[in-house]
Amino acid sequence: MNMCCCPVCRNPIPSYEIERHVNKHFEDDEIGRDLELAHQIQNAPPSPPHLLDSDIPESSTSRDEPEDIDFQICYIISLQTKALFHRIEGGFINLLKTCLETEKNATSIVSGYVDHFQSIPKQDMGWGCGWRNIQMLSSHLLRERPEAREVMFGGSAFVPDIASLQRWLELAWHLGFDKPGSIYFKGKVYGSTKWIGTTECAAVFHSFGLRAKIVDFDNSAGKTSVGRVCGPMDKFVVRRNLNTHNSLPKPSDVSLHNNKQYHLLMKWVWNYFCQDSPKECGKQNVVVVTNKMPLYFQHQGHSRTIVGIQAKHQNNGPKTYNLLVLDPGHRTEALEKSLRENSGWQKFIKRGLHTLTNPQYQLCYVDPGIARGEEAEQLKTLQTVFLQS
């Protein structure tokens, strides 16, 4: 249900009843008292962004009651601000598609619409990449999926700034999504420069009923499994001990092992984007725009957004792959200039097998549809598909 805040009493009211509710404040001789109340509320200091159990007196209304949650949602909606970014005329994907079409002996697959959100010096440079990737994924969801647009960010239909995203994450924790993450951050992230990762991205989307999924690629020996995600991956993506006899593996062994892992990652991304266009993916010298959403791409200390993948066809040899990524650390204007001139854009966007040197990577994406009832409740516990070479 879409809720609005009454400008007089500040209570959350269903949007279809807001006009009648407000008019009631100004009936007969009550107008003077209500106007004075509205004036006092307007000049009062802002309320805290959320309430924790320790902040609520025992005699207060339980925070689990619907009106309490509705009030918090109403509060966040009333404060959230649209994120500022450099909008690329004609759209980023269209410019990229034009450049990819000039490359021979290659098949490229790209996602639909997506905006680039860059980290800004003196604002979020060095810590804000996770939030910027959430913004990039959100720009796609709001544009391409009507059902997501209705439930995301209170139906605002725009991508919020980082401060607003931090409030939504705190609310997700308050609602019981990703309890390990909430414990780690002590339920508070608003106004901080704390790093986040795929788990926080999934928690925010889950709180809207979106079916976010996490895929974990690890270079330790083993097999595919499903496990529980714990903690922000910027902090917890670590190299696992690969040897069982307390001796370091030979460099050649590590190189061979990592090479298998990275091929697995590349192949998974290729299959992901090809899923709805298998015939087109088999052709050479084509660029396919799919309806698949971009991927949140996480490794230790940094994250980016994968918007597609390219396969280069070698003469009498195997295909080589290049991930097509958007990096929050790059300036949008420089990226746009290189694409329009079809010069130097590869260094911004292409990432080949040789660039994948971290021991562990994670991807996050959102399946279509909205979870309801028991399925929505199950989203509170984050799960990951765990792939090992």
Side-chain angles (χ1 to χ4, degrees), residues 153-222:
F153 312 123
S156 61
F158 62 75
V159 178
D161 63 1
I162 289 179
S164 300
L165 290 177
Q166 290 176 329
R167 294 182 190 272
W168 286 112
L169 177 57
E170 287 187 346
L171 179 62
W173 288 334
H174 184 50
L175 293 172
F177 292 90
D178 185 23
K179 289 184 179 179
S182 177
I183 293 171
Y184 174 81
F185 284 109
K186 299 181 180 178
K188 297 181 180 180
V189 73
Y190 173 72
S192 74
T193 60
K194 296 175 180 177
W195 291 3
I196 64 162
T198 51
T199 51
E200 288 69 49
C201 175
V204 171
F205 288 152
H206 281 174
S207 70
F208 301 133
L210 300 181
R211 296 167 171 147
K213 303 290 179 63
I214 295 175
V215 183
D216 194 327
F217 296 86
D218 190 276
N219 68 358
S220 55

Side-chain angles (χ1 to χ4, degrees), residues 18-252:
I18 188 64
E19 183 175 357
R20 180 183 62 82
H21 173 85
V22 172
N23 288 337
K24 288 183 64 177
H25 284 290
F26 299 98
E27 293 177 355
D28 303 326
D29 57 351
E30 295 290 321
I31 185 169
R33 185 179 66 182
D34 289 324
L35 284 174
E36 178 61 25
L37 176 61
H39 180 73
Q40 293 175 3
I41 294 174
Q42 182 178 4
N43 294 318
S47 302
H50 69 285
L51 296 175
L52 300 176
D53 286 334
S54 58
D55 300 323
I56 305 175
E58 293 183 1
S59 59
S60 299
T61 301
S62 170
R63 79 176 197 178
D64 292 327
E65 292 184 9
E67 56 266 30
D68 182 49
I69 297 301
D70 288 341
F71 176 81
Q72 293 185 54
I73 294 174
C74 179
Y75 181 83
I76 296 175
I77 293 173
S78 68
L79 291 181
Q80 73 178 348
T81 303
K82 186 176 182 179
L84 299 177
F85 68 100
H86 175 78
R87 188 179 298 277
I88 296 178
E89 187 66 28
F92 165 77
I93 291 296
N94 287 332
L95 289 184
L96 176 61
K97 181 176 182 290
T98 299
C99 291
L100 290 170
E101 287 173 341
T102 65
E103 301 200 329
K104 304 299 182 182
N105 301 319
T107 302
S108 301
I109 317 161
V110 294
S111 67
Y113 184 92
V114 61
D115 289 315
H116 179 249
F117 288 80
Q118 70 175 56
S119 291
I120 301 174
K122 298 183 179 180
Q123 288 192 22
D124 68 292
M125 187 66 74
W127 62 269
C129 58
W131 302 107
R132 296 302 182 184
N133 289 306
I134 292 177
Q135 289 175 330
M136 286 192 247
L137 266 59
S138 296
S139 72
H140 174 89
L141 292 169
L142 291 172
R143 177 70 173 259
E144 300 291 344
R145 297 190 186 176
E147 77 279 9
R149 190 183 311 121
E150 292 181 4
V151 299
M152 293 177 67
F153 312 123
S156 61
F158 62 75
V159 178
D161 63 1
I162 289 179
S164 300
L165 290 177
Q166 290 176 329
R167 294 182 190 272
W168 286 112
L169 177 57
E170 287 187 346
L171 179 62
W173 288 334
H174 184 50
L175 293 172
F177 292 90
D178 185 23
K179 289 184 179 179
S182 177
I183 293 171
Y184 174 81
F185 284 109
K186 299 181 180 178
K188 297 181 180 180
V189 73
Y190 173 72
S192 74
T193 60
K194 296 175 180 177
W195 291 3
I196 64 162
T198 51
T199 51
E200 288 69 49
C201 175
V204 171
F205 288 152
H206 281 174
S207 70
F208 301 133
L210 300 181
R211 296 167 171 147
K213 303 290 179 63
I214 295 175
V215 183
D216 194 327
F217 296 86
D218 190 276
N219 68 358
S220 55
K223 59 182 180 179
T224 302
S225 62
V226 177
R228 183 168 178 165
V229 179
C230 294
M233 289 312 299
D234 295 83
K235 297 292 186 182
F236 292 101
V237 174
V238 294
R239 180 178 295 277
R240 300 189 178 187
N241 190 358
L242 302 182
N243 60 87
T244 57
H245 302 288
N246 296 321
S247 60
L248 293 176
K250 297 178 181 179
S252 58

Side-chain angles (χ1 to χ4, degrees), residues 233-298:
M233 289 312 299
D234 295 83
K235 297 292 186 182
F236 292 101
V237 174
V238 294
R239 180 178 295 277
R240 300 189 178 187
N241 190 358
L242 302 182
N243 60 87
T244 57
H245 302 288
N246 296 321
S247 60
L248 293 176
K250 297 178 181 179
S252 58
D253 294 337
V254 174
S255 177
L256 178 63
H257 191 80
N258 286 350
N259 209 28
K260 292 180 180 178
Q261 175 208 2
Y262 304 145
H263 274 296
L264 177 63
L265 189 155
M266 289 288 194
K267 194 64 177 177
W268 189 96
V269 174
W270 175 263
N271 290 336
Y272 168 81
F273 282 108
C274 271
Q275 189 172 2
D276 296 328
S277 307
K279 293 183 179 179
E280 289 81 356
C281 293
K283 301 177 182 178
Q284 291 192 30
N285 301 323
V286 298
V287 180
V288 181
V289 180
T290 75
N291 60 0
K292 304 297 289 186
M293 72 169 291
L295 300 164
Y296 188 122
F297 183 42
Q298 178 78 48

